[in-house]
Amino acid sequence: MGLFSRGKKEDILAKKQAELTRYTEQFDAAVSMVTSTIDNLRRINEGIQEKIGEIEDYQSELAKTRNGLDSAKSKNERIIQNFSSLLGE
């Protein structure tokens, strides 16, 4: 009977070791999936940051263009005013 009990204990131990192996494999798969998701989100954020940079460059160029247009308009208004004064308008 002692041998039977020992064999039964070994069977239970083997089952528990197999369960541990499955849990370890599931854990490894879950960690891999999370790691992959993190990497994908980082790549997405890099793309977003690149687009933000492009928009900021575009906004900077627009602001320069706007300032140039405002300056040209002011000069034109002064010239119009000076010519109007010369003509007595």
Side-chain angles (χ1 to χ4, degrees):
M1 192 155 146
L3 289 175
F4 182 73
S5 294
R6 185 173 182 206
K8 192 172 186 177
K9 286 180 184 177
E10 288 175 356
D11 286 344
I12 292 171
L13 179 59
K15 287 179 184 178
K16 297 302 177 191
Q17 288 173 336
E19 288 175 357
L20 174 60
T21 299
R22 281 193 306 274
Y23 288 138
T24 300
E25 290 169 353
Q26 290 172 350
F27 170 81
D28 290 343
V31 168
S32 177
M33 184 175 64
V34 170
T35 302
S36 175
T37 300
I38 290 169
D39 291 343
N40 287 337
L41 290 171
R42 283 187 175 137
R43 279 192 294 277
I44 290 168
N45 275 354
E46 288 171 1
I48 290 170
Q49 187 58 48
E50 183 179 321
K51 296 304 171 195
I52 289 171
E54 290 172 5
I55 289 169
E56 288 172 346
D57 290 345
Y58 182 72
Q59 287 174 325
S60 176
E61 290 301 315
L62 279 176
K64 289 177 187 175
T65 302
R66 170 71 190 257
N67 291 338
L69 290 170
D70 285 341
S71 177
K73 182 181 174 195
S74 292
K75 288 177 186 176
N76 287 345
E77 287 173 350
R78 282 194 308 266
I79 292 170
I80 290 168
Q81 198 173 34
N82 286 340
F83 278 128
S84 293
S85 292
L86 287 174
L87 297 174
E89 293 183 8

